[in-house]
């Protein structure tokens, strides 16, 4: 059975369906653009042109992993968020009591305390390290790579290379040079596949395969959604990803500055963080874009939902549920009389009721809301959702007349950090740092 987008509460408050129809009138031009860019190989996340090679190469790596209980992933941003979302959705056991493995550890931050603890406590004989960077030059990831190499060399000597895998560009970058220099096992991040669009490549699927997750089904679900677009771009106007893009564009036009991703599939809550990077890094450009706000039901009903319901009227909402979720244990028939209405009901019935209540409350508060209802919570369903959101992000950027595939603003901070650490070739950044650090401070102590 299909998954569903429900639109009855989408065009409310300041939004107008007529304006959305005007935007949709651009679909002829955008369908031509879609046809051109897919043919040119500029949208590999959508065409999945890398899949045939991946399904051959990834299984060849897996025998190397069978002797390992732990995978330590070195990666940040798009090199980490997809893998974490997939793990928490489909291999949550490692976060529970008495788990026997395998374990996935993702070093996605510069936290010396955590990284030192992991290298001190993980057994190298049971661990494989996977270093992920599309460019091969991400400073945070390379710093971890250098330390992890020393850790492996101490344990294995010359054989350290047997426990290191890199996922990077096919031909260029420092990690590719390292792979060639040391004959490291490697998988590629295809050309034109940016990090935030790479979760359904080796970047996210090697960790998934290590955990025993059906990674082929993730790809199948994504392909189900992408196929109508790639096989016949002229049908873009009838695709749900384009409908979402038209709605999201209308939100911004009408001064809705935030897009809440409210997830009522608890095991999928980490997809909110994955979506936040996808949306923000793709669309936050030229003083435009809506700020993604991940929220988890029912947890955030008791934290930020007051702001959603009664704060500024600047929010739209993608509301994610599933028709099929675990029911859990039933309440006994001996509950106190004041709770008699719960007798015999399943614990999971609370989630359905809370979901409905919150969705209605948001709608009655004037929050434009699109309800995404997944038929099930299988890997195939997750792949479908990920492709839907990636395509919707792409089309929203096109409607905004910006490039949703680059991230120019974040490069400045990287250059300044490199200059601060003493890298050469950053004369202007060094001068800017000196001026910034020399400015008079206005301090207040507490």
């Amino acid at each position: 059975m299909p998954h569903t987008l429900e639109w009855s509460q989408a065009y409310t408050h300041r939004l107008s369906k007529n304006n959305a129809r005007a935007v949709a009138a651009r679909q002829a031009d955008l369908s031509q653009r879609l046809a051109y860019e897919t043919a040119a190989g500029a949208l590999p996340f959508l065409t999945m042109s890398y899949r045939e090679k991946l399904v051959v190469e990834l299984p060849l790596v897996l025998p190397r992993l069978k002797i390992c209980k732990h995978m330590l992933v070195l990666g940040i941003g798009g090199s980490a968020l997809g893998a974490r979302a997939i793990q928490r959705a489909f291999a949550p056991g490692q976060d529970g009591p008495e788990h026997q493995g395998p374990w996935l550890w993702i070093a996605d931050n510069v936290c010396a305390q955590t990284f030192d603890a992991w290298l001190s406590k993980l057994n190298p004989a049971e661990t494989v390290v996977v270093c992920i960077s599309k460019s091969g030059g991400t400073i945070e990831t390379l710093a971890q790579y250098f330390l992890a190499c020393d850790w492996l060399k101490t344990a294995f000597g010359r054989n350290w290379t047997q426990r290191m895998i890199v996922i990077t560009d096919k031909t260029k970058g420092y990690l590719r040079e390292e792979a060639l220099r040391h004959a490291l096992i490697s998988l590629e991040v295809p050309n034109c596949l940016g990090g935030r669009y790479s979760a359904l490549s080796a970047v996210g699927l090697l960790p998934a395969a290590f955990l025993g997750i059906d990674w082929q089904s993730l790809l199948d679900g994504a392909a189900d959604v992408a196929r109508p677009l790639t096989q016949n771009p002229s049908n873009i106007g009838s695709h749900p990803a384009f409908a979402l893009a038209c709605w999201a564009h209308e939100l911004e036009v009408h001064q809705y500055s935030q897009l809440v991703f409210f997830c009522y599939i608890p095991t999928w809550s980490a997809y909110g963080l994955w979506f936040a990077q996808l949306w923000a890094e793709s669309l936050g450009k030229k003083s435009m874009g809506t700020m993604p706000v991940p929220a988890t039901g029912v947890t955030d009903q008791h934290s930020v939902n007051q702001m959603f319901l009664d704060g500024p009227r600047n929010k739209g909402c993608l509301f994610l549920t599933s028709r099929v979720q675990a029911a859990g244990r039933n309440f006994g028939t001996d509950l106190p009389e004041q709770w008699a209405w719960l007798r015999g009901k399943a614990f999971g019935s609370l989630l359905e009721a809370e979901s409905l209540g919150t969705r209605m409350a948001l709608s009655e508060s004037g929050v434009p809301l699109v309800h995404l209802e997944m038929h099930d919570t299988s890997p195939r369903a997750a792949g479908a959702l990920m492709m839907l959101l990636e395509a919707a992000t792409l089309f929203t950027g096109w409607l905004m007349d910006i490039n949703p595939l680059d991230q120019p603003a974040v490069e400045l901070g990287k250059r300044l950090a490199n200059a601060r650490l003493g890298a050469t070739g950053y004369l202007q950044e060094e001068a800017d740092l000196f001026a910034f650090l020399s400015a008079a401070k206005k301090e207040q102590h507490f």
Side-chain angles (χ1 to χ4, degrees):
M1 292 181 65
H3 314 296
T4 304
L5 274 73
E6 204 284 311
W7 295 94
S8 63
Q9 302 299 323
Y11 288 94
T12 60
H13 203 216
R14 297 192 296 271
L15 293 197
S16 167
K17 288 185 179 179
N18 291 330
N19 289 337
R21 292 191 186 103
V23 171
R26 296 179 56 187
Q27 64 184 259
D29 291 338
L30 295 186
S31 68
Q32 292 179 4
R33 180 174 181 177
L34 177 61
Y36 174 80
E37 295 203 11
T38 52
L43 304 174
F45 81 88
L46 192 64
T47 62
M48 300 175 70
S49 52
Y50 58 85
R51 181 176 182 176
E52 184 176 354
K53 184 177 182 182
L54 180 66
V55 298
V56 172
E57 293 184 345
L58 195 153
L60 297 178
V61 176
L62 297 182
R64 292 283 192 100
L65 308 182
K66 288 184 177 180
I67 61 173
C68 297
K69 292 182 178 179
H70 304 276
M71 175 178 283
L72 174 59
V73 169
L74 314 179
I76 196 168
S79 298
L81 289 166
R84 174 171 282 115
I86 293 168
Q87 176 264 311
R88 290 187 175 169
F90 302 110
Q94 75 172 67
D95 302 318
E98 298 188 18
H99 179 63
Q100 299 301 311
W103 288 266
L104 179 66
W105 308 92
I106 302 177
D108 63 347
N109 202 350
V110 178
C111 181
Q113 180 178 357
T114 299
F115 198 63
D116 285 350
W118 287 357
L119 294 188
S120 297
K121 295 179 181 178
L122 288 173
N123 182 354
E126 298 177 336
T127 305
V128 61
V129 180
V130 180
C131 188
I132 307 174
S133 170
K134 163 65 175 173
S135 68
T138 307
I139 183 59
E140 300 90 348
T141 301
L142 282 181
Q144 294 169 338
Y145 170 77
F146 295 139
L147 296 174
C149 285
D150 289 343
W151 181 66
L152 291 174
K153 289 173 184 176
T154 300
F156 298 110
R158 293 181 179 180
N159 293 325
W160 70 274
T161 58
Q162 301 304 305
R163 293 303 178 87
M164 176 66 73
I165 299 172
V166 298
I167 302 177
T168 190
D169 188 88
K170 180 180 180 180
T171 60
K172 60 183 181 295
Y174 183 79
L175 277 184
R176 178 52 59 189
E177 295 171 5
E178 284 285 277
L180 294 172
R181 184 180 299 118
H182 300 294
L184 300 177
I185 300 171
S186 66
L187 294 167
E188 70 178 77
V189 183
N191 289 335
C192 301
L193 188 66
R196 60 189 179 274
Y197 292 92
S198 69
L200 295 176
S201 71
V203 172
L205 298 184
L206 179 63
F210 170 74
L211 293 169
I213 296 167
D214 186 355
W215 57 277
Q216 287 273 31
S217 287
L218 285 161
L219 289 170
D220 289 339
D224 291 340
V225 174
R227 192 174 298 110
L229 292 167
T230 57
Q231 290 186 348
N232 192 353
S234 63
N235 287 335
I236 187 175
S238 61
H239 198 279
F242 186 70
L244 275 177
C246 291
W247 175 74
H249 183 62
E250 282 301 294
L251 288 175
E252 184 187 9
V253 168
H254 289 88
Q255 287 77 54
Y256 289 88
S257 60
Q258 298 182 17
L259 178 60
V260 179
F261 184 86
F262 219 145
C263 179
Y264 271 81
I265 306 175
T267 55
W268 286 20
S269 61
Y271 276 110
L273 297 173
W274 169 82
F275 173 74
Q277 187 212 6
L278 172 69
W279 194 259
E281 200 166 77
S282 298
L283 305 179
K285 293 162 188 173
K286 299 181 179 180
S287 300
M288 296 188 295
T290 51
M291 182 67 191
V293 181
T296 300
V298 299
T299 302
D300 287 318
Q301 287 178 219
H302 298 270
S303 59
V304 293
N305 200 37
Q306 173 66 30
M307 181 64 73
F308 298 163
L309 293 169
D310 207 21
R313 295 293 187 254
N314 64 344
K315 302 167 186 68
C317 182
L318 288 172
F319 199 91
L320 179 64
T321 69
S322 175
R323 303 176 191 178
V324 180
Q325 298 197 63
R329 302 186 182 199
N330 289 344
F331 297 106
T333 57
D334 58 346
L335 293 184
E337 190 61 33
Q338 68 194 91
W339 304 106
W341 43 276
L342 285 176
R343 292 173 182 168
K345 289 187 171 66
F347 178 55
S349 65
L350 271 69
L351 182 67
E352 189 277 334
E354 299 271 15
S355 168
L356 177 60
T358 301
R359 180 159 55 92
M360 289 181 62
L362 287 166
S363 297
E364 291 181 8
S365 297
V367 177
L369 182 148
V370 176
H371 180 198
L372 284 75
E373 186 178 43
M374 309 303 296
H375 175 260
D376 59 75
T377 57
S378 65
R380 188 166 189 145
L385 176 70
M386 295 170 78
M387 181 59 75
L388 176 75
L389 296 176
E390 288 179 355
T393 302
L394 176 77
F395 298 149
T396 302
W398 288 358
L399 290 171
M400 294 167 60
D401 295 316
I402 55 100
N403 181 1
L405 302 179
D406 66 0
Q407 56 280 341
V410 300
E411 300 303 319
L412 175 59
K414 295 178 182 179
R415 296 195 304 270
L416 291 168
N418 289 345
R420 175 66 167 172
L421 290 166
T424 58
Y426 294 94
L427 294 179
Q428 183 60 55
E429 288 79 5
E430 290 175 6
D432 292 343
L433 279 171
F434 179 79
F436 183 81
L437 295 172
S438 299
K441 293 181 173 60
K442 298 179 181 180
E443 298 179 336
Q444 186 177 23
H445 302 287
F446 62 94

